[in-house]
Amino acid sequence: MTHATVLQLAKKDWDLWRNIVFLYAIGSIIGLVVLAYPSELAFYSGSVLMITALVASGIHLIMVSVINERKLKTLPLIMSLPITVKDYTSSKMLVNLLMFTVVWVAVVAGTIIVTLSRETIPNGLITIIVILTLEIFIAYCLILAVAMITESEGWTIATMVMCNLFLNLFLFMTAKIPAIGNHLTDSTAVWSPEALRLIAVELLMVAIILFATYYRQSKKTDFM
Amino acid sequence: MNMNSGIVLSQTDGRPLYQQLIDRIKRKIALGDWSPGDLIPSIRALAIELGISVITVKRAYLELEHQNIIHTQQGIGSFVSQDPQLGSQLNRTELGDHIKKAVQLAETLGLDEDELIKLIKEHSHKWSKT
Amino acid sequence: MTELALELIGVNKAYKHFQLRNLNLELPKGQIMGLIGANGAGKSTCMRILMGLVHQDSGVVRVMGHEMPSQQVQAKQEIGFLSEDMRLYGQSNLRWHMDFIASIFPSWDDLYAQNLCDIFDLNTDQAVKGFSHGQRVKAGLVLALARRPKLLILDEPTTGLDAVARYEVLTELMEVIRDEENTILFSSHNTYDVEKLSDTICFIDQGQLVASNDKERFLDQWRRIRIKLPQGTDLPDSIQVVNIKGSGQERSIITNSFSPDLVSNWTQAGLEVIEIEHLSLEEIFIAAVQKSRRLKEEVCV
């Protein structure tokens, strides 16, 4: 019974917010077109555009689907349905991850395809592209977790700011790791043990954050 | 089952709703709108029609049963009592109440018996001619 | 024994600045219960506990026979809930909302829903952000009622409605109890609505149940008695007095346990009873709350 309800709730959010998903997916495709243009300036502005679209899509989706549910008082309607806080959490995590993943996959796959197909862009960049976009995925999960657990706009925005500041630091530090930074201009992607370890840690963090959120939510006694 | 009672309660009448309802039902019977033996609306149906609580209608019906004006058969419904004299009886009771009030007023005004009877006659087309 | 639609036994819930204390409440199926209380008295908290949205610190809560909050999924399958602070998704229309609720409740009655929309004059194709407050409440009611719930829990359903909308809403609520199994719990600070519709009435103040009784008994037992007190005489000590006003020889007394015996006792004690009056529910509420607060202060002092 409840599984079906969780899916219905997720479908409801997808119906409501899928246009935002498509909008950002289109935004990132425009970024790709710019990226593919054979000039260094185009490459950098294209990358910035895509990273911005990716980060912004996550923030936008969390705001409308999680924070606004409480702020705009649609939560009482949802919680009057035969569901528990756990079900609510499951549906929100499910639909948000799905929506963000659509944009994320569009960005990552598009970037890799462009990088592979363009002679001017070194394929060695692919490693750091994966590492970087995974970091953005972690940041997204963290913001989602904070939004779900605190249900506070303030805390969510604070986390977003911290995550965006950290993104630059992370990029800088990752490029400083010789096993990764020294291969950026190589003609093929180099998957050094350091790079693979970093990717594994990133994936682990995603899992930990999602699990912790789910666990914390199931302990909630006051939901409204 | 569309059984509209046609009863209307007053919002400005100071008395409790159940008393108003008793009076309205008695009036319906006195006027012959509800005849002896008639099935009257169920408690719930009347409560919904009038937008008042079930417990209020229940109380009015109980009171009317005590006065033998209606009776209830479990599982079937409530009926106006079979007594054929019921309508005129209720009219008489009401008339008695009015006369009581009139007499009281007359006493405060210091009218005597003849003066009151004269006043009563003045209000009737039939008697005022004689 | 009649089956209970809801039951609260010794329920406590503490917040930083507010406490629900030892709440005991029973509502048999088929009845309408009105919950009256000032803002912040604990009505909404009480309803949220009943919906499993807030977990009680201690005490037993059963809704339609289901333990709350552990069995809230089963319970909420039978509940239609509407609260004053409930909003719909602004950019979507009512039809979309109806389809969404229908996808979750197998009991959804779409014919009834459309019928209600006609009665309430609601445009199901218009984005709900353009709805007035009254239309929003009515739309919420359509979503709650067309689930065909066995229990309706309504937090301030008539607050802020104009007279016509209020009438329409209350009329449809009464229609719900045509089915003798259906039960309604609603809160209001409009005592007039509660007085008219409820079978049972509860007063809540400062997180506590101040009084609870069937309505007819409430209105019967709470009376204002005007008496003449001969000079030099004192009122006999009597716990049945809730409130006394007046000076000189005339006193007006509010009692919560009126009976013909009470009056004859007073007469024997040398008091002259001038008039016995009924009270409106609002007057009863105010007197009951004031008495309860007075008692609390005395305990504190």
Side-chain angles (χ1 to χ4, degrees), chain B residues 10-57:
Chain B
S10 160
Q11 275 194 27
T12 50
D13 190 316
R15 293 169 308 157
L17 283 172
Y18 84 95
Q19 277 177 5
Q20 271 197 60
L21 185 56
I22 289 173
D23 282 2
R24 303 267 49 108
I25 292 176
K26 281 185 179 170
R27 178 65 65 90
K28 275 206 145 332
I29 296 171
L31 289 172
D33 285 352
W34 288 0
S35 314
D38 276 2
L39 177 69
I40 63 174
S42 73
I43 290 173
R44 213 159 262 271
L46 193 56
I48 293 162
E49 186 196 321
L50 301 177
I52 61 176
S53 42
V54 169
I55 200 172
T56 302
V57 181

Side-chain angles (χ1 to χ4, degrees), chain C residues 29-285:
Chain C
K29 286 184 181 171
Q31 290 201 2
I32 301 184
M33 178 185 271
L35 216 53
I36 301 181
N39 290 325
K43 290 173 295 180
S44 296
T45 306
C46 175
M47 292 191 158
R48 282 170 188 177
I49 288 176
L50 286 169
M51 289 298 291
L53 304 179
V54 165
H55 299 190
Q56 65 272 25
D57 296 337
S58 60
V60 176
V61 178
R62 275 190 211 105
V63 178
M64 300 303 285
H66 305 291
E67 297 280 338
M68 299 300 264
S70 60
Q71 296 179 314
Q72 58 173 298
V73 172
Q74 292 93 315
K76 285 195 277 191
Q77 260 152 8
E78 303 182 56
I79 305 176
F81 177 68
L82 185 64
S83 73
E84 197 194 8
D85 62 356
M86 185 186 282
R87 298 286 181 279
L88 305 178
Y89 295 96
Q91 78 273 39
S92 302
N93 61 27
L94 183 53
R95 184 70 253 172
W96 178 88
H97 284 85
M98 282 157 61
D99 291 342
F100 167 53
I101 301 291
S103 76
I104 287 172
F105 282 87
S107 56
W108 178 265
D109 183 343
D110 206 57
L111 216 61
Y112 179 38
Q114 283 174 18
N115 192 11
L116 284 172
C117 289
D118 288 344
I119 293 171
F120 289 154
D121 199 18
L122 291 171
N123 179 355
T124 52
D125 297 325
Q126 184 193 347
V128 300
K129 65 172 165 245
F131 277 9
S132 67
H133 172 72
Q135 287 170 322
R136 223 166 45 216
V137 172
K138 288 178 192 171
L141 205 60
V142 171
L143 297 177
L145 291 181
R147 302 169 194 187
R148 291 283 186 196
K150 293 261 155 230
L151 171 65
L152 270 176
I153 297 182
L154 310 167
D155 192 4
E156 302 275 351
T158 57
T159 301
L161 293 187
D162 63 72
V164 177
R166 216 178 86 220
Y167 173 80
E168 289 173 340
V169 164
L170 294 180
T171 306
E172 286 314 311
L173 285 189
M174 285 305 286
E175 277 300 329
V176 170
I177 59 145
R178 205 177 280 281
D179 182 338
E180 289 179 32
E181 285 283 296
N182 287 349
T183 312
I184 301 178
L185 171 71
F186 79 110
S187 75
S188 182
H189 47 244
N190 183 337
T191 51
Y192 178 75
D193 289 343
V194 176
E195 179 171 350
K196 226 177 143 201
L197 300 187
S198 309
D199 297 304
T200 320
I201 292 168
C202 296
F203 293 154
I204 291 192
D205 190 56
Q206 299 176 339
Q208 275 182 308
L209 196 64
V210 171
S212 167
N213 212 333
D214 96 44
K215 183 188 67 186
E216 290 300 319
R217 229 172 282 163
F218 244 127
L219 296 176
D220 249 13
Q221 293 180 345
W222 285 77
R223 298 287 184 101
R224 185 187 293 111
I225 305 177
R226 295 182 194 277
I227 57 161
K228 209 165 122 189
L229 191 66
Q231 238 147 20
T233 21
D234 280 331
L235 274 175
D237 277 337
S238 170
I239 50 154
Q240 293 123 325
V241 171
V242 174
N243 173 321
I244 305 178
K245 277 192 182 138
S247 58
Q249 289 196 35
E250 200 184 311
R251 293 279 190 287
S252 117
I253 295 174
I254 291 180
T255 176
N256 62 357
S257 47
F258 170 81
S259 69
D261 288 349
L262 179 85
V263 174
S264 57
N265 286 347
W266 286 11
T267 318
Q268 275 163 26
L271 304 174
E272 190 187 327
V273 173
I274 306 170
E275 225 168 352
I276 302 167
E277 296 167 354
H278 287 281
L279 296 170
S280 72
L281 198 60
E282 183 167 307
E283 291 173 300
I284 298 174
F285 172 59

Side-chain angles (χ1 to χ4, degrees), chain A residues 2 79 81-89, chain C residues 69-70 72-73 76:
Chain A
T2 347
M79 289 315 293
L81 305 173
I83 56 165
T84 59
V85 177
K86 242 190 213 170
D87 298 330
Y88 176 79
T89 307
Chain C
S70 60
Q72 58 173 298
V73 172
K76 285 195 277 191

